[in-house]
Amino acid sequence: MRARKFIPLFAFVLLAGLLFRGLSIDPTALPAARLGQPFPPFAQPELLSGDEITDAALTPRPALVNVWATWCYSCRVEHPYLLSLAEQGIPIYGLNYKDDSVKARDWLEQLGDPYRLNIVDVEGSVGLDLGVYGAPETYVLDADGYIVHRHVGVLDEAVFSRDFSRWFPVGATSGPIPAAGGGL
Amino acid sequence: MIPELGHVALIIAFVLAMGLAVVPLWGTVRHDIAAMNMAPSLALGVTVFVGMAFALLATSFLQDDFSVAVVAANSNSLLPPIFKFSALWGNHEGSLLLWVLILSGWMTAVAYFSRGLPLEMVARVLSVMGMVAVGFLAFSLLTSNPFERLLPNTPLDGNDLNPLLQDPGLIIHPPLLYMGYVGLSVPFAFAIAALLGGRLDASWARWSRPWTNVAWGFLSLGIMLGSWWAYYELGWGGWWFWDPVENASFMPWLMGTALVHSLAATEKRGVFRSWTVLLAIFAFSLSLLGTFLVRSGVLTSVHAFAADPERGLFILIFLALVVGGSLLLYALRVPSVASRVSYTGVSRESLLMINNLVFTVATVVVLLGTLFPLVMDAFSLGKYSVGPPYFNAVFVPLMALVMPFMTVGPLSRWREDSAKRWLHELLVPGIGVLVAALVLASLGSDGFNIWIALAVLLSGWVALGVIKDLWRRIASAPDRELKWRRLSPSFIGMTLAHLGFAAVVLGAVVVTQENQERDLRMAVGDVEELGGYRFELLRLGQQAGPNYLADQAVFEVTRDGQVIAGLVPEKRRYFASGQIMTEAAIDASLWRDLYIALGEPIGENAWAVRLQYKPMVRWLWLGSLMIGFGALVTVLDRRYRSQTARKPLPAAGVAGLAS
């Protein structure tokens, strides 16, 4: 009977322990387990053509995989920069995450299409395998198809030149980028 | 010189708060009346010096003193004066000072309005609040000093206030929200004082009830303003996102809702005593937890303050002391004997218990969803985010579950009632609501909508109970004067709040179900139809504001040839930060909002435009206003004033000594 009164205190001690652990974690860090692994296998429709595509379709490489959705405000902010990257010849594959495909097609029609292709992921299953926790996110696939980098949030010039440029040497113009530095 | 004076004032306030935390409490142990009597003066002293610190920091902001770090980081010489002032709480350090100022304001109010209470009670309550103040003042002084200087490298101009915060809604949102957050410290302090005194009777519930209502009312208004601001300022027409920071303010509200109802049962009938104490502790603990989540950086969120592990550790230790200490005290002092007051399964007590169960479960559900990513992370199980699908899936059914009982609650009798009587009272009008729901739900654009039918049914049902109760009170009174007297402020408040709740539910469901939006490319002269309205883009232009340059698109909205509104959405570029902001244009009315936001320019003469037709979205905020004001109205009830002033409480040994 008496022990029951200690239940709230006990529950709080557990919670406090959890919060203490939480302080030492960086919530934006990439889970180490995902790094250095191949892109998770999938078989999903492509956004514009409607054909089923698999992970084998993600060539040429190295490339960016960009997680986006029309409900994501920051994706709109990021979009013009993706267009300029695509113009420089960097292959970008889209993962249209938990989105309405009709709206997504409208979006690409109005704002321009930087993507070589788009994986439709209405259920979020590819995103789950990949460890996505929101949009926008951008991953780097190296020449061998391994995930070597992840960026959470809006991708812009500053972030790109700091974290991404070693896989995509400056001055690349068009066509597939040579695999220089891809093995880093 | 001014910032240094402010710093000194803050230190003096800290010392006075230490005195408040220790001296009156020590007085209650030693039965030292002089020591206990110091509590109100010390509380006032803390308020005066925190107020001075606040005023001096505000002066630094208004005078553009960029040698002060927070001013340089959050203000700019071009910023309009009103935003210079509100920039004070648009950052971690300043908002913490606002927090302490409001806490000391509550302390002074308690000291002033509780003059009729037993001196020991007042001394304990104010000492407990003093301890909370010590914690927050130490937090401010040790880790987040708002008066830190940038010397000798003083910047010429400031970084400017985040443009998202340059908005009238954001001037009053944080103060209102903090009034609610911090106000929950009052019932908490009363609960702790009752535990310390070892007397958990109905009187502490009666004393803390008006305070709880006010705090909860402010919290409702604060949350409402936040939602409204997000709606028109973030530029995409959403009004609730289940963001961790929103949840941080929503959890104390949910717990506070349970507390408000549980206190009623404890005051009127003496039931649920231990439970009510626990709720009071939990409600304030969740306020503190919210502070921790927002300011420590353990969760990612769009509007979290800059992450800082050192600050996080400080709040966590403080949280552990306050909550752990309270719960330990609870475990040791709460009586083991169940209260002898009896009630049957069919009674108002049972209905209030259902309310408490539902709102407690709802709080736990939101807490789990908010902390789940942290739990998985802590055990290295991966990175997760818990989004609206989870919260909607668990939260919506819970609210639907509580609504049928909301109708019966106000009509029901204490102790023992009969289901037959409820049926007799509500059967006929209930059928009426059912028919209305079926008809109204068929009127929508795509035929019958089951969710709208349910929403109309449940909201109508709640409104019905309230109106029926109102009618019964008025009709049975023999003369006009008595009619008015029966409509006590606490009854009016409850009626308003319940109607408001029904309005929020109805608005939320209708706008979610019937919302129409379209993302378009529009050039000058283009015309689009949406929701029966015709939107024409007349021209594009530019307009300079005080600290920004705006691209404007001028729209004319017509319906059946009649001009409804001229709407001018903007895209602003702020000079100091270079940030770009979407300023949506909204034509608001009770039944629908028309919402236009600009996306990106496409070519010379065209823009990506988002048009939205949002039926009944206003009901969300009107309903929330009713909830908030309903709660505030209840304190006008004469019952609370006369009870504290007139009737010396039976067991209050030192009541006569209270000044």
Side-chain angles (χ1 to χ4, degrees), chain B residues 61 70 74-75 79 82-91 94 161:
Chain B
F61 267 96
V70 283
N74 298 288
S75 188
L79 200 62
I82 182 73
F83 292 135
K84 282 181 185 168
F85 183 62
S86 71
L88 199 165
W89 53 77
N91 60 83
L161 178 64

Side-chain angles (χ1 to χ4, degrees), chain B residues 31 90 124 146 173 191 195 202 234 333 341-342 374 461 483 487 508 535 543 564 583 612 655:
Chain B
H31 301 289
R124 285 197 183 104
H173 165 62
L195 283 173
L234 294 183
R333 295 304 286 269
V341 187
S342 68
L374 190 59
W461 177 244
K483 278 190 211 298
L487 298 181
F535 296 78
Q543 175 84 43
I564 304 286
E583 201 73 14
Q612 295 192 77

Side-chain angles (χ1 to χ4, degrees), chain B residues 450-496:
Chain B
I450 180 75
W451 299 110
I452 292 187
L454 277 173
V456 175
L457 181 65
L458 288 171
S459 303
W461 177 244
V462 169
L464 184 88
V466 168
I467 292 163
K468 177 106 193 177
D469 194 21
L470 190 70
W471 173 252
R472 202 184 47 171
R473 276 179 188 243
I474 298 175
S476 64
D479 59 76
R480 180 174 297 213
E481 196 198 337
L482 202 61
K483 278 190 211 298
W484 278 113
R485 200 161 337 137
R486 286 203 177 171
L487 298 181
S488 61
S490 53
F491 176 75
I492 293 173
M494 186 267 283
T495 304
L496 260 180

Side-chain angles (χ1 to χ4, degrees), chain A residues 2-180:
Chain A
R2 194 134 189 102
R4 245 179 51 189
K5 296 184 205 161
F6 284 89
I7 294 172
L9 181 63
F10 182 65
F12 172 72
V13 170
L14 284 181
L15 178 69
L18 171 73
L19 294 177
F20 180 70
R21 179 82 182 82
L23 278 178
S24 54
I25 303 171
D26 176 5
T28 55
L30 172 71
R34 202 53 69 184
L35 267 177
Q37 288 193 358
F39 197 85
F42 66 87
Q44 300 284 126
E46 204 279 324
L47 182 66
L48 296 178
S49 65
D51 302 336
E52 190 172 270
I53 51 169
T54 66
D55 38 305
L58 303 182
T59 50
R61 293 186 296 253
L64 301 177
V65 177
N66 176 251
V67 182
W68 67 284
T70 56
W71 46 260
C72 150
Y73 181 74
S74 309
C75 297
R76 203 176 266 274
V77 175
E78 176 182 74
H79 201 82
Y81 186 64
L82 293 180
L83 285 169
S84 80
L85 284 179
E87 259 169 41
Q88 292 168 39
I90 293 175
I92 307 175
Y93 307 111
L95 178 65
N96 187 226
Y97 182 62
K98 295 185 180 174
D99 202 3
D100 177 16
S101 292
V102 178
K103 283 188 193 167
R105 279 191 287 268
D106 285 352
W107 161 298
L108 294 181
E109 198 174 306
Q110 286 158 23
L111 302 181
D113 185 356
Y115 306 106
R116 302 265 169 132
L117 55 85
N118 256 296
I119 309 161
V120 175
D121 188 20
V122 178
E123 305 286 321
S125 57
V126 180
L128 193 69
D129 290 340
L130 198 57
V132 169
Y133 72 80
E137 277 183 30
T138 306
Y139 295 77
V140 178
L141 283 187
D142 72 2
D144 304 318
Y146 286 88
I147 301 170
V148 287
H149 184 72
R150 174 204 209 184
H151 174 71
V152 177
V154 173
L155 182 62
D156 58 23
E157 185 90 55
V159 172
F160 192 87
S161 60
R162 190 185 68 215
D163 297 338
F164 286 67
S165 51
R166 52 181 165 146
W167 291 288
F168 304 97
V170 199
T173 45
S174 65
I177 308 294

